[in-house]
Amino acid sequence: MKFGILVNEGPFQHQASDSAYLFTKAALEKGHEIYRVFFYYDGVNNANKLSEPQADDRDLVKLWSALAEEHKVDLVVCVAAALRRGIKDDILAPGFRISGLGQLIESGIVADRQITFGD
Amino acid sequence: MKFGILVNEGPFQHQASDSAYLFTKAALEKGHEIYRVFFYYDGVNNANKLSEPQADDRDLVKLWSALAEEHKVDLVVCVAAALRRGIKDDILAPGFRISGLGQLIESGIVADRQITFGD
Amino acid sequence: MEEEWDEDGPEVVKRFMYVNRKAPYGTVYALEMLEKVLIAAAFEQDVHVVFMDDGVYQLKKEQETKGINMKNFSPTFRALEGYDVEKLYVEKESLEARGLTVDDLVVPVEVLSSQDLKALMDKQEVILTA
Amino acid sequence: MEEEWDEDGPEVVKRFMYVNRKAPYGTVYALEMLEKVLIAAAFEQDVHVVFMDDGVYQLKKEQETKGINMKNFSPTFRALEGYDVEKLYVEKESLEARGLTVDDLVVPVEVLSSQDLKALMDKQEVILTA
Amino acid sequence: MLLHTVNKSPFERNTLESCLRVCEDGAGILLIEDGVYGALDNTVVADLIKKRMGNIKFYVLGPDVDARGLGNQTMIDGIETVDFGGFVDLVEKHSATQSWL
Amino acid sequence: MLLHTVNKSPFERNTLESCLRVCEDGAGILLIEDGVYGALDNTVVADLIKKRMGNIKFYVLGPDVDARGLGNQTMIDGIETVDFGGFVDLVEKHSATQSWL
């Protein structure tokens, strides 16, 4: 089955990105396809490559990037939400791309199931 | 009187930074001193100079920077919270400086009143 | 309207529901949700917008935001009709708990009881919340 | 302890109160609040830490965070004593509403009724919340 | 006495209730941001404040009231409206401020 | 039928209550993140779920339960614990998912 994922919050402040990541990983392990992970609202902060968590803490930016590399997951950051919050190509982590909100709606249309993680 | 201000949230997602800014401005207009504005948690995102809101929206990063310039307000971003969230010197807006959490405690000790804006 | 989509729309038309439960201005969710609704309309999907809990306050008339230095986005709700977003629903129980009536709102809406809202939600294919 | 501060501490010792009302892990507030408490202790202030509402869950024993890929920070509460942070308070009403007792908590705390907490809060000079 | 600020809607969260539970008689409570909904009369949560009116002094931040389109709504009798300057004055005249988030 | 997810503590917010108000009989509700506190028995909010048990199928995310130290607490009778794989299965077998935030 094709899943579409929406992430509304950045890393650390809320658990949303953690839950979304673990759900995405579990879906891939079960052989499902992740059509797209769309980052909206403060969710765009998941794509900030300057993020440097403590050594014994999880590193969500790197975890998402690794998922994109290993499983060709499409990680899309909303351009409007990102501009406001200062997430631009200069600091965009590998595997993420910046695009329009239409990519979220398209995900809702194409995916068999669309699910939101937020606060 | 000396005021210390703590901002726990970034711009946009919550009103905290807006309220803190308007409070700080009002205190200055009344002739009070702002000892320090300390940015903690997602509040560190207020210092991201790449932030580019829509033309008809307020620009909190610029507003804080202007306050620092005009009134010599000390804007301190917590180093630990900022590292996690990828706010580093490369993208630090004018008027902000990165320092330790001790600066918040010192603000609480020195200021006559310490007030928190958050979610 | 449904016929029009069958003729001119994309191949797939899904039932999208946007559930607004947050008050305006205290958080950005209301504003950025509205941007999502407008985009969905451009994709000619079957858009349903629900206001319940504090979300009903998004539609309150007479918003004057100058004093908090933020943009008043409530007029945009009146523009939704121009984008063919006409299915706006408000939960009756949420409205009543707040002492509000439809006369307090910036746009015409259909008032649904929780019971009727249940049935409408259950038919949706994509539900976006914030 | 107060005498010790008079002898060795900085010139100003203020009554700092940290009010923890949020559950752990769902949001970062609990973890980063704890970092603030530790710093205040280093400045030899008169630190009071209150747990009320869902904040009491921060102290729940047996936290096992491997399954959500996050760091279990509850052992740090046991380290607070080493930093001379010994004034930990839990609101009785919050504990009871959740069916918990002090035996469920990772550290010894003083249980205060809302009434007693009122009086303690009113004496504080700096109150930090999240 | 303390000044308490409450920025959450009492329809959505327990914040105002918790604040009232540990708020001393004689203290001040200022409703800001989404907290201003608590100041409205004729709602299912209006009694929270009405029960303590007289023992606690209640204030509401006018710019937040206006932003939410509540300028002409009936407020609970006895709540005083302040602007940001008044907010600063309240922080100054109380011994310390507790922000309920 | 829909799958509803609830990620907020019922002690702090009205989220679970709102979800239950518009949740059809036969639907599923999965408690995740801070929502898992709603699954505990012997609390002042346990009745919220007990009243609908039998009409709605309730699930709770095990990793979130364990993280919060609730692994040995008494859960409301009839709630099924799932892991992230089970979460994926629930999303698959329901027609759509509504996330209550």
Side-chain angles (χ1 to χ4, degrees), chain D residues 99-117:
Chain D
L100 295 174
T101 72
V102 289
D103 294 337
D104 293 307
L105 310 182
V106 290
V107 279
V109 295
E110 186 174 342
V111 179
L112 293 180
S113 68
S114 315
Q115 280 301 330
D116 293 335
L117 191 52

Side-chain angles (χ1 to χ4, degrees), chain F residues 27-95:
Chain F
I29 297 182
L30 170 63
L31 305 172
I32 67 169
E33 302 176 1
D34 289 346
V36 302
Y37 293 114
L40 295 171
D41 206 352
N42 309 315
T43 75
V44 292
V45 296
D47 269 351
L48 283 177
I49 286 182
K50 283 179 167 176
K51 275 194 264 180
R52 297 294 291 278
M53 188 60 77
N55 302 319
I56 296 170
K57 184 77 189 109
F58 289 94
Y59 307 88
V60 64
L61 193 61
D64 278 323
V65 170
D66 295 339
R68 288 160 182 79
L70 310 175
N72 293 317
Q73 298 294 108
T74 310
M75 296 284 156
I76 294 167
D77 211 35
I79 298 186
E80 188 182 324
T81 301
V82 299
D83 59 10
F84 275 97
F87 186 175
V88 172
D89 294 341
L90 287 173
V91 172
E92 182 181 6
K93 83 173 197 193
H94 289 81
S95 57

Side-chain angles (χ1 to χ4, degrees), chain C residues 53-94:
Chain C
D53 291 327
D54 281 344
V56 303
Y57 282 130
Q58 295 180 22
L59 300 177
K60 180 71 184 63
K61 279 180 184 165
E62 301 173 344
Q63 298 178 22
E64 291 288 350
T65 56
K66 224 174 53 189
I68 59 166
N69 208 15
M70 288 168 81
K71 189 166 63 174
N72 174 4
F73 61 89
S74 65
T76 313
F77 290 112
R78 284 200 294 264
L80 286 178
E81 209 186 341
Y83 293 85
D84 285 332
V85 178
E86 291 164 341
K87 297 176 179 174
L88 307 183
Y89 307 93
V90 167
E91 192 208 21
K92 185 165 166 280
E93 285 75 2
S94 298

